[in-house]
């Protein structure tokens, strides 16, 4: 769950947005082991809900991420124009 805002901090109300979520291995600048895209619409409060692992896969396989073998970081990118 998140509130989508533009670069001025204004809430994006009832708007289509595009989100790319990536799982990065080792360090924040490490290997991208999984990425997916979500295309939710914000509600009247700018709120979006999504579940990682249920987007459109860009690369990798979330079921093959070896969570206990290393540190993992999540990278979130948003296109406010959808």
């Amino acid at each position: 769950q998140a509130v989508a805002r533009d670069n001025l901090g204004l809430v994006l109300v009832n708007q289509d947005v595009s989100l790319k979520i990536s799982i990065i291995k080792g360090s924040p600048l490490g290997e991208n082991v999984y990425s997916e895209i979500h295309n939710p619409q914000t509600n009247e409060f700018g709120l979006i809900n999504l579940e990682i692992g249920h987007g459109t896969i860009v690369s990798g396989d979330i079921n093959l991420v070896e969570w206990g073998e290393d540190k993992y970081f999540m990278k979130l990118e948003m296109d406010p124009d959808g």
Side-chain angles (χ1 to χ4, degrees), residues 32-58:
N32 181 343
V33 295
Y34 178 76
S35 293
E36 66 183 24
I37 301 277
H38 292 261
N39 298 105
Q41 183 178 56
T42 64
N43 68 10
E44 66 271 21
F45 306 109
L47 186 67
I48 54 175
N49 292 292
L50 57 90
E51 188 174 348
I52 297 172
H54 292 269
T56 301
I57 297 170
V58 174

Side-chain angles (χ1 to χ4, degrees), residues 56-81:
T56 301
I57 297 170
V58 174
S59 65
D61 183 338
I62 199 163
N63 294 313
L64 298 178
V65 176
E66 297 175 334
W67 299 104
E69 299 298 316
D70 208 330
K71 293 179 185 176
Y72 290 89
F73 298 81
M74 183 179 74
K75 179 179 178 182
L76 177 65
E77 300 168 273
M78 183 180 81
D79 178 354
D81 296 322

